[in-house]
Amino acid sequence: MSVKKVIKRDGSSVDFDLQKIVVAIGKANAAVAAEQRLEDSQILAIARYVQQKDKQRLLVEDIQDMVETSIMEMRGYEVAQKYVRYRYRRELKRKSNTTDNGILA
């Protein structure tokens, strides 16, 4: 069995897309020095690890936590740090947008 659906923050459900994980890790990977980067095969292995979880559905936050842990297990500490910082900035932006929408309403 593998993951079929992802539950987004707004509660909606979307099909699992392995490429989204690959792209997200790739962006963090590109932001670190060459000697600290993960290999493409390692990035794909992380995405496949998440995909092969014995769950029909996963929360997006759970996927992100698995990705972060997997990066660190591969000794990609700098990549993990960039990945976590990106997640944090996105969270702040989402909160800001929620506040803005509340004011406009």
Side-chain angles (χ1 to χ4, degrees), residues 47-59:
R48 286 190 176 144
Y49 165 75
V50 173
Q51 183 182 38
Q52 295 304 314
K53 283 295 183 185
D54 193 18
K55 305 263 186 186
Q56 284 292 318
R57 298 176 298 155
L58 279 174
L59 298 171

Side-chain angles (χ1 to χ4, degrees), residues 70-81:
S70 297
I71 292 170
M72 291 177 52
E73 287 173 352
M74 290 188 176
R75 308 266 190 256
Y77 302 117
E78 295 296 322
V79 176
Q81 185 178 49

Side-chain angles (χ1 to χ4, degrees), residues 12-104:
S12 63
S13 177
V14 296
D15 291 337
F16 179 85
D17 184 354
L18 182 114
Q19 274 309 115
K20 287 189 175 189
I21 296 173
V22 171
V23 168
I25 300 171
K27 287 179 180 180
N29 204 43
V32 300
E35 64 273 5
Q36 297 170 328
R37 291 184 185 152
L38 297 174
E39 298 291 327
D40 289 343
S41 60
Q42 291 175 298
I43 294 171
L44 188 56
I46 292 169
R48 286 190 176 144
Y49 165 75
V50 173
Q51 183 182 38
Q52 295 304 314
K53 283 295 183 185
D54 193 18
K55 305 263 186 186
Q56 284 292 318
R57 298 176 298 155
L58 279 174
L59 298 171
V60 70
E61 292 89 353
D62 293 339
I63 291 172
Q64 290 174 329
D65 290 345
M66 282 187 264
V67 168
E68 180 184 333
T69 300
S70 297
I71 292 170
M72 291 177 52
E73 287 173 352
M74 290 188 176
R75 308 266 190 256
Y77 302 117
E78 295 296 322
V79 176
Q81 185 178 49
K82 295 291 185 186
Y83 183 80
V84 169
R85 285 183 180 167
Y86 174 77
R87 283 179 65 184
Y88 178 70
R89 284 192 306 273
R90 293 290 301 155
E91 180 182 346
L92 290 177
K93 188 172 184 175
R94 275 192 302 278
K95 285 182 181 179
S96 171
N97 288 342
T98 302
T99 303
D100 292 346
N101 290 340
I103 291 169
L104 291 174

